[in-house]
Amino acid sequence: MRRWTGAGLLSVVVGTGAWAQSPGTLEAVRLHRAEARALARQDLEGCRSTKCADAGRISLLAGTLALAEGDVAEARTLLTGASVSEPLQPYLAYYQGQAHFYAGDPAAAAEAFRRAVDKGTPALVSRSRARLGEALLAAGKAKEAAPALELAATEEPSAELLYQRAQARKATGNAAGEKADLKTVALRYPAHPYGDEALAKLEAQKPTLKLTLAEHLQRARGLLDANEAKRTLAELEKAEAAKLARTKQDKAQVALVRAQALYATGKREEAEQALAVARQGPPSVAAEAAFVTARRALKSDANDKARELMASVEKTWPREKVADEAGFYVGWLDLQAGRFEEAVKSFTAFDQRHVGSRKRDEALWYRALAHIRLEQYGKAREVLDTLVDKFSRSSLVPQARYWSARSHELEGAKADVTGPAYEAVITSAPSSYYALLASERLRELGRQPPAKFPEAPKQLESGEVPPELKLAVALTGAGLFSDAAEEVQSRTSRIRNQEQALAFAHALLRLGEYGHAHAVAARHLWGRAFGARLPEALAAFYPRAFANAVESEATRYQVSPFLVWAIMRRESAFRPEVASAADARGLMQVIPPTARAIAKKLAEPEPAPAELFSPSLSIRYGSWYLGQLMKRFSHPALAAAAYNAGPDAAVKWVKEKGTLPLDLFVEEIPFRETRGYVKQVLADLYLYQAFYGKEAATQRLSLTVPSPATEGVSF
C-alpha cells in the first residue's frame, strides 16, 4: 500500500498542483508535533517572499497553531486581514472570533462569529452559534445573545451553555427559564465549576431555593462519580443539616452514599458503620449495601469472604436487582478458586433461579469451562451446545464452538472429527481469537487451516471524492485537521447504504481519517468485511494508520508494528482525540503517570497531559512501552495483559496459572476487561501479520505460557 502524507494525498484526491504547505508541515500538524508551528511560520515566510497565492491559507493555519499555544496576539495578527478561498472563509471567521475573544474584544469576536454562522456548514454553525452567544454576553449584549444561546443550549445542553443561557434568560425577563437552567446545571453537573455557581445564584434568589433530599442525593452521587468524595460528604451534610432525612428509608439512602464516599477517603470503619445503617433500610437499599460490602471483599482479594457475602445477598434479597450479579459471582469465585464441582453446581443453580438474566449465556460458558477443568468433556459439550442453541446471537458462540472441538481433542478424538470442527470455527468467525486458536490446533494436527480471508485488505488509491467530503478535503489541505474531522463526523452520520459507506470509508482512508473510516465500516460494512470478506471493506477495519510514525517508532524500539496497530485498534479505534474515564489519552491510551515514567526512562522532559493526544507522542510512548513489555514477557498475550492491567498483575497470573496452555490461561484471567482485551489484541495482531507481513512463513502463536523475566518494566 502506498502511504500518503497530507500534501501528497490531497494533490491526488483533488487533482491540483503543489500545495503551499510543505508535506512535512502537514505531517507535523496532523501528528501534533512540537515543531508544527515553526514549520508553518517558515512556510508562510517562504510564500510571502515569493508572493505565492496561498499566503492567506497558510496564515490561517499559522494563526490557529498560535491560538492553540495561547499566543493570542500573534494569532490575531496572522488571522486579521487574511484572504482565503470561499470554502475556508467561515473557518477563518471562526478563528478570528476566537482570537478577538481571547484578546479581550468580545464585540469584534461576536461580529466574526456571526459571519461564521451566516456562511458555515451545519458542523461549524453549531459551535459558532454557541461562541456568538458567549461573545455577545461578554460584550454586555445579553438580549442579543439570547436567541443564539437558546438554540445552542438546546442542541448541546452542556454546563457552560446552560449557564450562559440562564444569564441571557434573566436579561430578557424569563425568570422561570433562568431558574430551570440554573437548577439543571446545579443538579446535572455538580462537579463542574458552574455547578456551584448555579447553586449559589439559586440560593441568592427570593424565595431561596431549597433542594429536596432526592436533589441533594443526585448531586452527591454525581460528585461521587466524579471522584469528589469529600465534596460528596459535604453535600450529604447539607441535607442532614436541613433535616431532610426523616424516615428510615431516607436515612438508609443517605448512609449508602456516605459509605461509598467514606471508603473513597480511606475511612473504612466509618464506612462500615454507614453501611450498617443502610442495611436497615428497605430491601432495595439494604441489598445494595450488602452488595457493596461483598464487592469490597472482592477488591481486597478476600475471595472466600466475598463468596460468602455474595451468596448471602442472593439468598436474602432474591428479587432485588443485585441478586442476579451476586449469584453470578458465587459461581465465578468457585471457578477462580479451582472449586470446579462447586462451580458447576453454582452456575446450574444460577440458571434455574435467574431465568431472565442477561448473564445466562455467560453462566453457561463458565459452567462448561468448569466441566472442562474436571475433564468431563461430554458434559461440557452438552452445555456448550445449549449455549449455541439458546443464544445463537451471543458473542460467546465462537468460543463455545472452539471449546466443543477442543474438548473432543482432549478426549482423544481423531483429526477427522476435530479437524472439521476447528475449520468450522475459522469459517464462521474468521476475525476472532478463536479462529486464531483453531488455526494453531489444525497445524498441530498436520492440517492446513482454511484461509480466513481470500485476499488482504485493499485500499483504493484513487476514486471520486464524495461531494459531501470535498469541504473536508479542503480543510485537510489547509492543515485544519480537527475541523476536517468534525465535518467528516457530520457527513458520515448521514450515510444511508453500503455503497455510499464504502466510498466514504476509502475517501477517509486517503484523507488519513482512520478513526472515522473505521467507524463508518463498523456501522455499515460488517457484513461485507466478515461475511462476503471483501478486501475493500477489510481495509477500513484494519488500516495501517499513521504508517510512517508507527513503522519508525516500532523499528526504533524493537517491537512489531503489527502489535502497535493491534493495540491502537483496541485502545482508540485509531482516534487520536479519545480520552477514557481513567484519564488514558490518545491513540495508544497512555495515562499521565505512565507517560511521566516513560519520559524519565527516555531522559526527556515530562509531557503535559494534553500532549498525550499528539499521535506522534502517543505512538512513540506506546511503542517504547510495548517493546519493554515484550522484552520482559516474551509473548504478545502477556504483553497485552500487562498493557491493560499492569505488569504486576500479569506476573501474578503467570505465577498462579502459567502451567496451563495458553487457551485455558487466557480464559481464566480474572479481570473480564483484560480477558476480552487480550483476545482481541491477539486476533488483530495475527490478522495484521497475515495481511501485511513480508515473511513467507506463517507467524505462529505459541500455546505455551512463558515465565516473565524478573527484571524489566514494572509500571
Side-chain angles (χ1 to χ4, degrees), residues 259-511:
Q260 293 167 301
L262 287 167
Y263 274 129
T265 57
K267 297 179 180 178
R268 179 179 173 182
E269 291 186 9
E270 293 179 49
E272 290 175 353
Q273 291 171 7
L275 281 178
V277 174
R279 281 194 291 269
Q280 300 306 309
S284 60
V285 179
E288 191 173 347
F291 188 66
V292 168
T293 303
R295 288 294 299 267
R296 293 288 304 178
L298 190 61
K299 286 183 178 180
S300 62
D301 287 334
N303 287 358
D304 289 342
K305 181 65 174 178
R307 188 208 184 276
E308 177 187 337
L309 293 170
M310 292 291 182
S312 176
V313 169
E314 185 188 29
K315 181 179 179 180
T316 308
W317 297 280
R319 296 185 179 181
E320 297 302 323
K321 188 186 299 184
V322 294
D324 182 332
E325 194 167 355
F328 182 86
Y329 268 120
V330 170
W332 185 83
L333 286 165
D334 283 335
L335 189 68
Q336 284 293 309
R339 298 187 294 264
F340 301 121
E341 290 183 357
E342 289 301 311
V344 169
K345 293 177 183 177
S346 297
F347 281 119
T348 300
F350 176 89
D351 192 55
Q352 294 168 348
R353 286 197 289 264
H354 301 282
V355 293
S357 173
R358 294 182 179 180
K359 290 180 174 287
R360 285 188 69 201
D361 57 341
E362 197 172 358
L364 285 169
W365 154 243
Y366 280 125
R367 186 167 131 206
L369 180 58
H371 281 304
I372 290 170
R373 298 290 268 121
L374 290 166
E375 300 183 4
Q376 298 170 347
Y377 301 121
K379 290 182 178 180
R381 286 193 297 277
E382 288 178 11
V383 178
L384 293 170
D385 288 345
T386 300
L387 192 164
V388 173
D389 290 342
K390 286 190 175 181
F391 303 97
S392 59
R393 295 186 178 182
S394 169
S395 61
L396 301 177
V397 167
Q399 73 191 72
R401 288 177 172 156
Y402 168 80
W403 282 105
S404 181
R406 180 69 178 138
S407 69
H408 271 298
E409 186 176 10
L410 291 168
E411 206 171 35
K414 295 182 179 180
D416 60 349
V417 173
T418 58
Y422 284 136
E423 289 168 357
V425 174
I426 297 169
T427 55
S428 63
S431 65
S432 72
Y433 163 72
Y434 294 96
L436 172 62
L437 290 178
S439 296
E440 289 300 330
R441 295 299 179 190
L442 284 170
R443 292 188 183 100
E444 289 180 340
L445 296 173
R447 297 169 71 113
Q448 182 63 29
K452 296 182 179 70
F453 297 95
E455 297 180 61
K458 180 181 178 182
Q459 184 173 325
L460 302 178
E461 302 293 3
S462 62
E464 288 294 322
V465 176
E468 300 91 337
L469 290 180
K470 287 187 176 179
L471 176 57
V473 171
L475 291 166
T476 300
L480 303 181
F481 294 107
S482 62
D483 296 292
E486 189 169 291
E487 176 66 15
V488 165
Q489 178 71 27
S490 172
R491 297 294 182 176
T492 55
S493 65
R494 305 172 202 174
I495 292 174
R496 293 293 177 264
N497 57 63
Q498 292 183 354
E499 291 301 326
Q500 187 184 17
L502 195 62
F504 261 66
H506 281 274
L508 292 169
L509 289 173
R510 294 194 296 271
L511 280 169

Side-chain angles (χ1 to χ4, degrees), residues 120-284:
T121 59
L124 180 62
V125 166
S126 179
R127 57 185 160 121
S128 298
R129 185 185 292 118
R131 299 294 281 132
L132 170 61
E134 184 179 8
L136 287 169
L137 202 61
K141 300 178 180 179
K143 290 184 178 180
E144 289 183 44
L149 289 171
E150 284 292 341
L151 281 171
T154 300
E155 291 174 351
E156 184 187 346
S158 65
E160 293 87 349
L161 287 174
L162 288 167
Y163 186 81
Q164 290 163 5
R165 188 172 71 177
Q167 293 176 277
R169 284 178 165 180
K170 180 180 180 180
T172 57
N174 183 358
E178 176 203 8
K179 184 176 180 179
D181 278 347
L182 290 174
K183 193 169 184 179
T184 298
V185 173
L187 296 179
R188 192 181 298 171
Y189 307 100
H192 192 282
Y194 281 144
D196 285 338
E197 287 191 35
L199 187 59
K201 283 183 178 292
L202 287 168
E203 290 174 342
Q205 292 180 352
K206 294 183 180 180
T208 300
L209 173 76
K210 294 183 179 180
L211 296 183
T212 65
L213 177 63
E215 289 167 343
H216 276 294
L217 285 171
Q218 182 180 346
R219 276 181 54 84
R221 292 186 182 107
L223 290 165
L224 190 62
D225 289 343
N227 297 316
E228 297 276 4
K230 291 183 179 179
R231 293 184 63 196
T232 301
L233 293 171
E235 189 67 36
L236 296 175
E237 287 173 7
K238 289 181 182 179
E240 292 190 323
K243 299 182 179 180
L244 296 175
R246 299 185 180 91
T247 67
K248 189 175 182 180
Q249 178 174 347
D250 292 343
K251 292 176 181 178
Q253 287 180 318
V254 171
L256 178 59
V257 179
R258 177 184 287 110
Q260 293 167 301
L262 287 167
Y263 274 129
T265 57
K267 297 179 180 178
R268 179 179 173 182
E269 291 186 9
E270 293 179 49
E272 290 175 353
Q273 291 171 7
L275 281 178
V277 174
R279 281 194 291 269
Q280 300 306 309
S284 60

